[in-house]
Amino acid sequence: MGMLFWFVIGYWVVSVAIGLYAARQVHNTKDFAIAGRHLPFYMVTATVFATWFGSETVLGIPATFLGEGLHGVVADPFGASLCLILVGLFFAAPLYRMNLLTIGDFYKKRYGRTVEILTTLAIVVSYLGWVGAQITALGLVFNIVSGGEISVMLGMIIGSSTILIYTFFGGMWAVAITDLLQMIIIVLGMLYIGGVVSSDPAVGGVANVIEHARAAGKFNFWPKGNFAEIIAFMAAFVTMMFGSMPQQDVFQRVQSAKSEKIAVWGSVLGGSLYFLFAFIPMFLAFSATMIDPKMVDSLIESDPQMILPTLILNHSPLIAQIIFFGALLSAIKSCASATLLAPSVTFTENIMRPLMKNMTDKKLLLTMRSTTLVFTVLVTIYAIYAVNSGATIFKMVENAYQITLVSAFIPLAFGVYWRRATNQGALVSIACGVSVWILGLIFLPEDYYMPPHFIGLIASFFGMLAGSLMPQFVKHDLRVHDLLRNGHLSNANEAAE
């Protein structure tokens, strides 16, 4: 194992130590789940950016871009960054005023216990794909920097267990502080690597790469004129743009801010920065086709996710390798820690807590930490299975949001902005969305022009309208919407119950 490995290990140890140091700020469940609502603007921006700048941004998106151009990455970064910007503009303020601990609390206050359970389970399950992608990437990085001495599977176990350590103790405080460090490393690292690669004689500068990519048709973004392509384009776009909105990690960043204004603009700026910096790995990957076309040709069919790491290892100095893999690890760690914490907090608060009466805050905090441990084990097993089945990082992330798209997005959007949305409407919306999606997966051919999750979203929409406007057989009080929007939670509790 060479110098690169030991530099990477040193950085890994330091960042874990910083996360553990942040654990001193955790005294109760509010500190653990949403950092006590004390994060300033720069930290909210950093944690929004760093959480989404993960393995798929550095490895998955560039690989897809090389094969399909901008048209292939419509879900991420286009849909993903728009999700964060739209959350900031339309959801951050009303959700912040509700003063909730989890996104599941919104569904409980707005629609009742049954909807809370259904949406929480959907949200927790959706994290398997996202966290699994990060753990898969960790295994890949440890395998690369160790020169193959550490297997991908062992690297996955090492990575997930060490991230668990500071997430277990530090919660959102540890995530936020390490995200700030990791955002700095990601931004500076990506800019530096971009400069190194663009100065290669075979590349000839940024403008030359852009011109070659344009000539190769990589900037074709919009679908062709036929109906099937337009539907496929829209389905890919909404999967992450809408499917990511009802997620605990997004909600945590809104709730962790010191003020409503910070919640709004931290999300908008973080999403905008994510969109801009996501293009650097795509630039690097296309540069590889100019620097080492034989290497790209050999990997494009077998393992395109290895193109960028192989380029850096074979065509850059040691310092560039250290910075690149440091930035890559920062991206993965920030994303993995946040997505380990989010489903654990949601499951504990919205599923377990109501079943365990008279739970003290101290016991709730212990339960959240224990759930984080269990979820880490489960998602590591899932990631190992996904690797063995040949799933790509990009597809693991993109598919993760289908279940929340068809079950949780419509009840969230209508719950915030439509006063007449009812408990019954939410239940019908979830039932229609999920059942149509599952039936589509089972019976529709893989190349059907309308993807099952897109049909499920449409069914969820009309289910909400029909369920809310038809005669009500499920108890609902229209005052809940107004009370929640105004932050009167005690009254909202009484109305919901």
Side-chain angles (χ1 to χ4, degrees):
M1 297 183 189
M3 290 292 292
L4 173 62
F5 175 78
W6 294 113
F7 270 110
V8 167
I9 291 300
Y11 164 71
W12 187 264
V13 171
V14 169
S15 59
V16 170
I18 292 173
L20 286 173
Y21 178 80
R24 301 193 313 163
Q25 300 285 342
V26 177
H27 306 292
N28 52 50
T29 54
K30 192 173 183 180
D31 290 334
F32 187 82
I34 54 174
R37 299 190 107 192
H38 292 313
L39 297 187
F41 177 72
Y42 67 91
M43 289 190 73
V44 173
T45 302
T47 194
V48 168
F49 169 85
T51 298
W52 283 60
F53 201 100
S55 61
E56 73 284 358
T57 315
V58 183
L59 300 176
I61 293 175
T64 305
F65 173 74
L66 284 182
E68 305 175 40
L70 289 182
H71 183 77
V73 296
V74 60
D76 193 2
F78 290 93
S81 56
L82 265 177
C83 167
L84 295 173
I85 294 170
L86 293 176
V87 165
L89 294 176
F90 296 104
F91 291 95
L95 289 176
Y96 189 87
R97 286 194 294 269
M98 294 175 192
N99 193 26
L100 308 172
L101 190 67
T102 69
I103 188 68
D105 289 342
F106 168 81
Y107 293 105
K108 176 184 178 181
K109 309 298 185 188
R110 187 65 174 86
Y111 299 117
R113 175 67 176 156
T114 303
V115 174
E116 174 195 19
I117 293 174
L118 294 174
T119 51
T120 297
L121 291 175
I123 290 167
V124 170
V125 170
S126 73
Y127 277 101
L128 285 174
W130 195 7
V131 190
Q134 312 314 313
I135 293 175
T136 299
L138 282 175
L140 185 64
V141 171
F142 278 114
N143 177 257
I144 293 171
V145 299
S146 68
E149 293 293 324
I150 297 176
S151 68
V152 172
M153 185 177 298
L154 179 58
M156 292 165 68
I157 295 172
I158 294 171
S160 60
S161 59
T162 49
I163 290 175
L164 169 66
I165 292 173
Y166 72 80
T167 307
F168 181 90
F169 290 104
M172 188 60 194
W173 267 115
V175 170
I177 292 175
T178 53
D179 276 359
L180 178 61
L181 169 67
Q182 287 154 3
M183 176 184 172
I184 295 171
I185 293 173
I186 291 169
V187 169
L188 296 180
M190 286 292 111
L191 290 174
Y192 174 78
I193 296 299
V196 170
V197 171
S198 63
S199 63
D200 189 290
V203 172
V206 175
N208 195 40
V209 174
I210 293 174
E211 177 56 30
H212 274 74
R214 185 200 62 78
K218 299 303 180 182
F219 291 160
N220 294 333
F221 177 73
W222 298 107
K224 297 176 182 177
N226 64 77
F227 183 71
E229 284 243 0
I230 293 172
I231 292 296
F233 178 87
M234 292 173 60
F237 210 104
V238 301
T239 298
M240 289 193 70
M241 182 169 62
F242 293 155
S244 303
M245 287 185 182
Q247 291 286 359
Q248 176 64 14
D249 62 290
V250 177
F251 177 84
Q252 278 178 311
R253 276 130 196 82
V254 169
Q255 292 296 313
S256 298
K258 285 202 300 186
S259 68
E260 182 180 312
K261 186 175 181 181
I262 289 174
V264 171
W265 295 111
S267 181
V268 171
L269 180 58
S272 301
L273 289 174
Y274 172 73
F275 179 75
L276 293 174
F277 278 89
F279 281 91
I280 296 181
M282 286 188 268
F283 165 82
L284 297 176
F286 192 82
S287 298
T289 64
M290 304 168 68
I291 296 173
D292 195 344
K294 290 184 178 179
M295 178 270 290
V296 174
D297 290 341
S298 66
L299 290 175
I300 196 70
E301 295 297 333
S302 60
D303 192 1
Q305 295 170 160
M306 283 296 296
I307 290 174
L308 199 47
T310 304
L311 171 71
I312 300 302
L313 284 174
N314 294 345
H315 297 279
S316 65
L318 177 62
I319 183 63
Q321 295 174 26
I322 293 170
I323 292 174
F324 172 79
F325 284 102
L328 176 55
L329 281 176
S330 292
I332 298 169
K333 284 183 63 182
S334 59
C335 192
S337 59
T339 48
L340 283 175
L341 178 66
S344 305
V345 169
T346 304
F347 186 81
T348 304
E349 170 70 11
N350 300 108
I351 301 295
M352 296 181 65
R353 185 179 186 180
L355 301 176
M356 304 170 69
K357 302 298 182 183
N358 302 319
M359 183 185 290
T360 64
D361 189 77
K362 184 177 181 180
K363 187 174 181 181
L364 180 61
L365 178 57
L366 177 61
T367 306
M368 284 184 177
R369 285 172 166 160
S370 301
T371 305
T372 305
L373 170 61
V374 173
F375 189 78
T376 303
V377 173
L378 291 176
V379 81
T380 303
I381 294 171
Y382 171 82
I384 292 172
Y385 166 78
V387 168
N388 292 333
S389 65
T392 66
I393 290 173
F394 187 83
K395 283 300 179 184
M396 287 172 72
V397 172
E398 185 179 12
N399 293 338
Y401 299 108
Q402 292 185 11
I403 186 170
T404 46
L405 176 70
V406 301
S407 62
F409 170 69
I410 294 297
L412 172 65
F414 277 66
V416 172
Y417 283 104
W418 193 37
R419 188 176 185 272
R420 295 190 63 182
T422 66
N423 301 353
Q424 180 174 282
L427 289 170
V428 175
S429 174
I430 295 169
C432 290
V434 173
S435 59
V436 169
W437 172 57
I438 292 175
L439 289 172
L441 289 173
I442 295 173
F443 294 109
L444 290 178
E446 287 189 14
D447 57 350
Y448 190 67
Y449 73 96
M450 289 190 74
H453 62 275
F454 190 69
I455 306 174
L457 175 64
I458 296 172
S460 178
F461 173 83
F462 285 106
M464 172 61 79
L465 292 178
S468 297
L469 295 177
M470 69 172 55
Q472 298 298 297
F473 300 99
V474 179
K475 181 182 176 181
H476 179 78
D477 190 330
L478 289 175
R479 292 179 302 159
V480 172
H481 176 271
D482 300 328
L483 292 168
L484 273 175
R485 288 296 297 267
N486 294 325
H488 301 314
L489 292 182
S490 59
N491 291 334
N493 263 318
E494 294 169 5
E497 292 168 0

